[in-house]
Amino acid sequence: MLEDNNKIKVALAGNPNVGKTTLFNAITGSKQHVGNWPGVTVEKKSGFTKYKGYDIEIVDLPGTYSLTAYSMDEIVSRNFIIEEKPDMVIQIVDASNLERNLYLTTQLMELETKIILALNMCDLATERGDKIYLNKMEEMLATPIVKTVASQEKGINHLLDKVIEERNNDQHHGHEIGYGDEIEEKIFEIEKILANDTEITEKYPLRWMSIRLLEGDENIKDKVNKSSVASKINDVLDSIDQEEYEADIADKRYSTINIIFPQICTRANQVLTKSDMIDRVLTNKYLGIPIFLSLMWGAFELTFAFATPFMDMIEIAFTWLAGMVSTNLQPAWLASLVGDGIIAGVGSVLIFVPNIFILFFLLSLLEGSGYLARAAFIMDRLMYKIGMHGKSFIPMLMGFGCNVPAIMAARSIEDDRDRLITILVVPFVSCGARLPIYILFAGTFFGRQAGTVIFAMYVLGILVAVASAKLFRLTVIKGKPAPFIMELPPYRVPKLKSALIHMWDNGAMYIKKAGTIILLGVTIIWILASFPWGVEYGSESSYVGIIGHLFEPFLRPLGFDWRISVALVFGFVAKEIVVGSIGVLFGVGDNQEALSQSLLADPGITPLNSMSLMVFSLLYMPCVAAMSVIKKETGSWKWTIFAILYGVAVAWIMAFVVYQGGKLLGY
Amino acid sequence: MVTKGENMKMKAHSKMLLAFLLGCSYIIAGTIQSSTGIIRILSGKPITSGLPHIITEALYIPHDILSGLILILLGTVFIYGFMELCQGIEEGIAYVYVGTLLAMIFAGIYLLVTTGNILEAYLLKNEDFIGWTPLDDLRPEIYLGFVSLIAYAKWKKQFDVKNE
Ligand SMILES: Nc1nc2c(ncn2[C@@H]2O[C@H](COP(=O)(O)OP(=O)(O)O)[C@@H](O)[C@H]2O)c(=O)[nH]1
Ligand SMILES: [Mg+2]
């Protein structure tokens, strides 16, 4: 075993005529014939070298343009990589012909081995005036890259240094090509089936195998047909149009290369397209993340500020309606139910429809432009450092809408642990249902700074999600994230129509919820506030008062009185109910006054405890729907209960810090 | 005679100049905006006198930290482009292009906010908006964004290069 410690086995792969054999000879000092490998009949060519105390074995593979199964060369090459499991593969890349060479790179990435790119023929590229941005290339492909000129034996030692460095590096975090939702779903489905066969699981990278099957690779099909999962796999494969998939998959590889290429190389006399220019800036190492944050901030600023006149219009309508009801409806209890209960409660939720519509409209513009997919890529390195999968970023962004589909979207994450972490942290991402709470309180107490306060809530949600992920990685769910699947669609001017549809779908869901579960919730609260028979409506001796006082001791340190406590307890059903119940409980009496005015007038509510309330509502626990989908997706009560308890604990601590800290500072 | 190459160089020069001027303007405006925002928060009251007041009044700069930081970011994008162009990296033009796009996006955001306020003031006759005029909403994001719009319109053709 000791001997093994300084042995490294390296395979050389690459397109034909990129200088593989020349490099092989330069490293091993042998005099192999420089020319193409004439097929399988030839013995495997391998040579040895000693470098810095390591015994390095180099194997020269046949030159191939891809690793599909069209030729025997390709099968030999990939079988060697899969079956003999070299420590790493050096792909020799012709620097003067990068674009074509990258196709093989994308396939090697899928084999899940460590890769080093040797950028050979640099002399030719430089002579021609091409510029290659090495750092950017390393960043985008997530592989180490070394410049070489094999024919002059330049860069060989540097390459060997990298080999040793990589061999001792277990922080490898690869990038792979993403193939779009439809294909990714199939890949995932097949992977799940393949995972049931231990023999396959041990030997092959499952994602790679699934992609090969979808591309109709006969060689792989034969292997699967001999396995225990043959019939299930064939069922899936029979259900799709294989040729179409094959074409789509190849297309996706080429289009990803087309987007990456201009970022890492400028050919002499080549001009940048608009899309290239945009990418150059938006994926910039230093500017990328700040630009992303500022665009999101802009979206929230608009969500708040542009919506106010429309909110005011809705409010005017509801005030008028409430006035009509209280003067015209008999008997008095019915007027109170409709006026104080339903209109005050549902109305206080419906007021936020303009915000919901604007936010979804803006998010779908960002998505439709192709920017959100870039954002996931920009965030990947950061996410990896935190211990999250880059792909988790998409469910987290979806969480801005509603956590339920976001938790389901985590299905697209292959690795079970990556997935579990994502599911557990998504509820911290602030969903649309929480927005009304911020708008109500930030708008009431923070005036012109409201947009910034709301943005801060969203950022806090993300920070808590991310910090929790790190914590889970270090404690309960150890391990490191799987490779990142990058999808870089071309930039497009977003389509107004699809943005409107997206906006309508989500907005309609919100309105529907207001008409169903929230209507029910506020009715129940009204009933609890009106009974036992004869008590003053919404007073401390009503049932609401009793429930509120039950929870108040627990919430008092956070600055919440019994009315807020009730709202929070019922908010567990759906977070809109928090605002709905506040509408029912604070809008008491004078219907002419807007809810925000009653809040301002209430001595129990200050800017500080409204801040604490926003923080607590953001974090405290997933709503019932989110909780049930967590149960469904994790299949475990343990993790579901964990999610609730952890959420409440974090929310309590954060709100405590905000409230008590704020008091100490004199707010 | 001006050769084609020299002509191209002149165009690059005017873009460099623009990137430099816009970059500086955004950074200066952003710095004032953020720092007066900080002063306002630390002192706990609005700034109504002194040099900061005179400057911000004259330049229509609000006192706000975050939006100020975004102005600084926009300025940095332009300066980044300026520096690359100075070093002879032609691709630096990408930063000028994206800088003008971002500048226009943020100008658009604040124009929409103003539109909302116009609705409040003149349609809904909200009491909070008594005495308000649209000019009160003028801010660097809007007027500097307008400069970017002109630059964008002027160079639209050159940004619109097609890949052969
Ligand atoms: N200019 C230049 N030529 C190279 C370089 N590396 C290899 N070559 C030449 O490229 C040709 C193909 O090399 P070979 O090693 O047979 O490529 P293989 O097919 O990948 O094994 C030979 O004529 C080499 O001399 C390099 O870095 N620069
Ligand atoms: Mg050869």
Side-chain angles (χ1 to χ4, degrees), chain A residues 195-249:
Chain A
N196 293 323
D197 188 299
T198 44
E199 216 170 296
I200 289 180
T201 319
E202 266 169 30
K203 210 163 168 188
Y204 300 98
L206 294 187
R207 180 178 165 84
W208 173 78
M209 198 165 205
S210 312
I211 296 168
R212 297 306 317 145
L213 285 168
L214 287 173
E215 282 187 278
D217 188 319
E218 293 300 333
N219 183 278
I220 298 291
K221 271 189 185 167
D222 287 347
K223 288 186 172 130
V224 170
N225 278 335
K226 285 180 212 139
S227 77
S228 62
V229 291
S231 66
K232 275 191 183 163
I233 293 287
N234 285 322
D235 285 348
V236 179
L237 292 181
D238 289 342
S239 72
I240 63 164
D241 181 347
Q242 197 121 56
E243 271 171 24
E244 197 185 309
Y245 268 70
E246 191 181 350
D248 284 354
I249 289 175

Side-chain angles (χ1 to χ4, degrees), chain A residues 444-465:
Chain A
T444 303
F445 291 99
F446 294 91
R448 285 216 147 215
Q449 302 299 315
T452 303
V453 170
I454 295 168
F455 175 70
M457 286 300 137
Y458 278 82
V459 172
L460 177 67
I462 298 269
L463 288 180
V464 170

Side-chain angles (χ1 to χ4, degrees), chain A residues 15-23 34-36 60 120-124 148-152:
Chain A
N15 294 9
N17 273 323
V18 293
K20 270 193 327 305
T21 308
T22 315
L23 190 77
V34 178
N36 212 354
D60 192 10
N120 198 30
M121 310 233 184
C122 278
D123 51 335
L124 292 184
T148 58
V149 182
S151 52
Q152 298 165 29

Side-chain angles (χ1 to χ4, degrees), chain A residues 131 133 266 271-274 277-278 280-281 284 287 290 294 297-298 302 305-306 308-309 312-313 449 452, chain B residues 40 64 66-67 70 73 80 84 91 94-95 97-98 106 109-110 112 116 120 124 126 159-163:
Chain A
K131 272 177 272 180
Y133 308 103
T266 27
V271 274
L272 291 172
T273 65
K274 276 185 177 175
M277 288 204 268
I278 297 175
R280 206 178 139 79
V281 182
N284 180 293
L287 296 172
S294 68
W297 180 85
L302 257 192
F306 188 56
T308 16
D312 288 348
M313 288 178 203
Q449 302 299 315
T452 303
Chain B
R40 200 197 56 191
D64 184 34
L66 267 182
S67 58
I70 292 174
L73 175 68
Y80 213 103
E84 285 208 346
E91 295 79 35
Y95 290 86
Y97 173 64
V98 177
F106 279 95
I109 288 176
Y110 285 104
L112 279 176
E120 285 277 4
L124 298 172
N126 189 329
F159 288 144
D160 217 2
V161 282
K162 295 232 159 43
N163 221 357

